[in-house]
Amino acid sequence: QKEVEQNSGPLSVPEGAIASLNCTYSDRGSQSFFWYRQYSGKSPELIMFIYSNGDKEDGRFTAQLNKASQYVSLLIRDSQPSDSATYLCADSLSGAGSYQLTFGKGTKLSVIP
Amino acid sequence: DAGVTQSPTHLIKTRGQQVTLRCSPKSGHDTVSWYQQALGQGPQFIFQYYEEEERQRGNFPDRFSGHQFPNYSSELNVNALLLGDSALYLCASSFSIAGGLGEQYFGPGTRLTVT
């Protein structure tokens, strides 16, 4: 069964530090990978997506993809208390006739002032 | 630019009843996906609608059904509600790309409580 695994945390980092969130996926056919942020009681908000091996940067966020190791990560630089949330990793077989996102359970991040 | 909207925000139903949830996609999007998120879990894919048809379905029973209208809005219907159906129901909209999945943007969700 297709799975996306994340460490549930909580992951605690001091304000200003780099937060590193990790995700592994089971299906080698997965093509696209997404990071969502979800504040307590709210819906998921898309932060970044990545399709190609390597790094993709957007502001304080960097997504890293290693398809050989089936590993995706999200780095948050200069972490702020407002970054405290649950981060959801999702993959998709996009391009292979599949249209669903498969989510991990999420990692709870706490940024300590 | 209006984002994804959902109604109602909260809903309380009794076991055995039926419920209808509604979703309007983001402007320019033509595809609607529905997800169920239980407490402490990631969202689980229910189904996706494109061109007014169910294009793909997740591992949910037939009690879950849906519809997409010509204006791309969508409804999720759940019959014979069970206590285990209590969850946050999320609608996600996207623009369909050839053979694949564009970025999906979620609405605020409908919190369903079954008593």
Side-chain angles (χ1 to χ4, degrees):
Chain A
Q1 180 165 342
K2 194 174 184 306
E3 290 185 337
V4 174
E5 299 285 345
Q6 295 182 257
N7 187 323
S8 62
L11 173 66
S12 294
V13 299
E15 184 175 355
I18 296 175
S20 178
L21 304 161
N22 305 314
C23 171
T24 60
Y25 59 95
S26 64
D27 194 327
R28 287 197 172 273
S30 294
Q31 299 289 322
S32 311
F33 304 88
F34 302 83
W35 283 100
Y36 286 83
R37 177 175 62 197
Q38 187 171 27
Y39 293 112
S40 181
K42 301 295 184 182
S43 64
E45 172 191 6
L46 181 63
I47 301 174
M48 289 190 69
F49 56 90
I50 186 167
Y51 305 131
S52 303
N53 273 329
D55 295 359
K56 179 181 179 182
E57 185 174 320
D58 184 0
R60 296 187 296 114
F61 298 97
T62 299
Q64 299 175 317
L65 173 59
N66 184 326
K67 289 188 177 181
S69 300
Q70 296 178 238
Y71 178 89
V72 190
S73 65
L74 179 70
L75 301 178
I76 307 174
R77 290 182 299 281
D78 188 23
S79 295
Q80 301 297 309
S82 59
D83 294 326
S84 298
T86 296
Y87 288 80
L88 297 164
C89 172
D91 74 353
S92 169
L93 291 170
S94 178
S98 175
Y99 305 96
Q100 70 179 77
L101 292 176
T102 299
F103 283 87
K105 293 182 178 181
T107 297
K108 186 171 184 178
L109 172 66
S110 180
V111 180
I112 311 301
Chain B
D1 179 22
V4 183
T5 61
Q6 290 187 245
S7 63
T9 305
H10 296 89
L11 205 52
I12 300 175
K13 289 287 188 178
T14 303
R15 190 173 49 183
Q17 287 188 317
Q18 178 264 343
V19 68
T20 297
L21 310 181
R22 295 177 176 82
C23 171
S24 291
K26 186 178 170 69
S27 178
H29 285 183
D30 58 5
T31 303
V32 173
S33 303
W34 287 93
Y35 291 82
Q36 179 196 66
Q37 187 177 25
L39 203 60
Q41 303 294 314
Q44 297 290 313
F45 176 75
I46 302 174
F47 43 53
Q48 185 180 87
Y49 276 85
Y50 171 67
E51 292 188 338
E52 301 180 49
E53 291 191 355
E54 183 183 291
R55 178 157 69 174
Q56 187 173 5
R57 187 179 186 90
N59 189 25
F60 278 79
D62 291 345
R63 297 187 298 109
F64 291 77
S65 63
H67 189 77
Q68 186 179 35
F69 300 94
N71 67 352
Y72 307 120
S73 67
S74 177
E75 289 182 348
L76 164 65
N77 301 293
V78 187
N79 294 322
L81 285 166
L82 303 174
L83 295 179
D85 294 332
S86 295
L88 179 66
Y89 287 85
L90 296 161
C91 166
S93 81
S94 56
F95 181 73
S96 188
I97 57 176
L101 181 69
E103 297 92 66
Q104 293 192 345
Y105 296 88
F106 285 92
T110 294
R111 174 73 62 186
L112 173 65
T113 302
V114 182
T115 62

